[in-house]
Amino acid sequence: MKVIVAGLLMLVLAMDVIAQETRDPSNFGDEDEAILSWTEDLKDQAVDLAMFTAFATLALVSFFRKSEGLKWITMAAAVLYLGFARSQLITIVNVFGLIEWNLPVFRHNMTWYLFAIFTVVTTILWGRLYCGRVCAFGAMTQLLDKIVPARLRFEVPSRIERRASYIKYGLLGGTVLYFLATKNISIYRYVEPFWMFSLQASTSLWLGLGILLAATVFIRNLYCRFFCPVGAFLGLLSNLTVFRIKRWTECKTCKICEKTCEWGAIRGPVILAAECVRCDDCERLYMDKQRCPHWLIARKRAQASSAS
């Protein structure tokens, strides 16, 4: 673990050096500018770094333990800490910065780099874990879903859901093209509602958010499933996922997990990495020896073998 952390820090430092050289190839800065020492910068950001490290640890513990209770605690912490307290989310603006390699200066934005690298690394290792329990807006809508009466929900037919899931990729492509043509980042306010945590927006934007949240009451995880460009970006990245959810032979015919999945990520024996947010629901069913057909069949075979 120490080697991994050290490697990540070296990667971040290298990215920052490259970014600064890109902005200032001659490497000449303003000599009159007062430059704080690295020690002072680290001291100023120590609390934020410690807070995010604690949150990231909670998120990973909840993920590895497959604890539903810890997952809900993590999401509540995401809404309060990353959302309202810090207004810190991965947004389409970060994608713009990555495209132009216009990255923040590392020494002044250590927590942001830690957050960004945590998101990218966990996505490559396990998939869209960020979307499933770290994103403050996604966490808020999932918590909202827990208190909404089930009778109010409308289940989107599979054939429509499959087509609608491509909308977010269209929004990602269209937003990026708009930015490349205009260099105007303000488009982000119209394609993602994350600005809500700053509590600052125009009346029309608040009205649009109200309509979106009202629609979310009836269609669970509406924005995350169908409209989020960041989710689309991470979905593309998740195709590189190393540690995927394993499947039993019985998964070819069993539909229990597919019916349970709230994200439309399971289609027959296949789990779509780009749509899966590692919510743990199917994985808990997967190991349930009282419900999963794999274990029931294995038990019957064992009993038949012992009887003979």
Side-chain angles (χ1 to χ4, degrees), residues 6-71:
L8 290 177
L9 289 175
M10 292 179 64
L11 175 62
V12 169
L13 184 58
M15 291 171 64
D16 178 63
V17 170
I18 295 173
Q20 290 188 60
E21 290 182 350
T22 300
R23 288 191 294 269
D24 188 9
S26 61
N27 206 27
F28 292 123
D30 187 354
E31 295 181 359
D32 297 327
E33 181 181 359
I35 302 176
L36 296 173
S37 69
W38 277 87
T39 302
E40 290 173 323
D41 284 339
L42 183 59
K43 185 184 299 183
D44 289 342
Q45 300 172 66
V47 173
D48 285 342
L49 287 168
M51 289 288 290
F52 181 78
T53 300
F55 172 80
T57 301
L58 172 63
L60 289 176
V61 168
S62 72
F63 173 69
F64 286 118
R65 292 188 61 180
K66 306 305 175 191
S67 168
E68 188 171 14
L70 281 178
K71 182 179 76 170

Side-chain angles (χ1 to χ4, degrees), residues 19 29 39 100 256 285 288:
T39 302
E100 293 203 323
I256 294 178
L285 274 173
D288 189 336

Side-chain angles (χ1 to χ4, degrees), residues 92-149:
I92 192 66
V93 175
N94 300 137
V95 177
F96 295 160
L98 183 63
I99 290 173
E100 293 203 323
W101 204 247
N102 183 18
L103 303 174
V105 177
F106 171 66
R107 60 181 295 180
H108 302 307
N109 299 273
M110 297 181 190
T111 305
W112 181 88
Y113 273 95
L114 183 60
F115 186 21
I117 289 179
F118 172 83
T119 301
V120 172
V121 170
T122 55
T123 300
I124 292 176
L125 289 179
W126 302 292
R128 289 172 56 188
L129 184 147
Y130 170 83
C131 297
R133 68 192 67 209
V134 175
C135 172
F137 186 83
M140 184 186 72
T141 57
Q142 289 183 72
L143 291 170
L144 174 66
D145 187 63
K146 295 298 290 185
I147 63 175
V148 170

Side-chain angles (χ1 to χ4, degrees), residues 86-280:
R86 300 297 301 166
S87 291
Q88 189 172 55
L89 293 88
I90 300 299
T91 84
I92 192 66
V93 175
N94 300 137
V95 177
F96 295 160
L98 183 63
I99 290 173
E100 293 203 323
W101 204 247
N102 183 18
L103 303 174
V105 177
F106 171 66
R107 60 181 295 180
H108 302 307
N109 299 273
M110 297 181 190
T111 305
W112 181 88
Y113 273 95
L114 183 60
F115 186 21
I117 289 179
F118 172 83
T119 301
V120 172
V121 170
T122 55
T123 300
I124 292 176
L125 289 179
W126 302 292
R128 289 172 56 188
L129 184 147
Y130 170 83
C131 297
R133 68 192 67 209
V134 175
C135 172
F137 186 83
M140 184 186 72
T141 57
Q142 289 183 72
L143 291 170
L144 174 66
D145 187 63
K146 295 298 290 185
I147 63 175
V148 170
R151 66 178 182 275
L152 295 180
R153 296 196 198 101
F154 171 75
E155 297 299 332
V156 180
S158 298
R159 65 182 185 281
I160 297 177
E161 181 177 49
R162 294 177 184 181
R163 291 176 173 82
S165 64
Y166 291 109
I167 296 174
K168 59 181 175 289
Y169 295 99
L171 284 173
L172 172 64
T175 304
V176 168
L177 288 175
Y178 175 85
F179 170 72
L180 292 176
T182 67
K183 304 301 180 184
N184 182 4
I185 67 171
S186 64
I187 185 66
Y188 81 92
R189 298 175 72 87
Y190 301 98
V191 296
E192 56 186 24
F194 308 150
W195 48 262
M196 65 162 286
F197 293 107
S198 68
L199 302 178
Q200 297 179 356
S202 64
T203 302
S204 59
L205 285 175
W206 283 114
L207 179 61
L209 176 64
I211 294 173
L212 175 63
L213 293 178
T216 303
V217 169
F218 303 101
I219 302 177
R220 69 176 80 200
N221 308 319
L222 175 65
Y223 177 77
C224 303
R225 289 162 64 190
F226 304 127
F227 302 117
C228 182
V230 170
F233 178 78
L234 294 178
L236 294 174
L237 188 62
S238 67
N239 287 308
L240 303 175
T241 297
V242 177
F243 303 108
R244 302 180 181 235
I245 299 173
K246 64 179 181 179
R247 304 287 276 163
W248 303 123
T249 303
E250 293 80 6
C251 295
K252 294 180 180 179
T253 55
C254 179
K255 299 291 184 180
I256 294 178
C257 289
E258 183 175 354
K259 292 178 180 178
T260 302
C261 182
E262 299 178 357
W263 299 86
I266 302 178
R267 298 176 188 173
V270 178
I271 295 180
L272 302 179
E275 300 300 323
C276 176
V277 299
R278 299 305 294 259
C279 67
D280 301 340

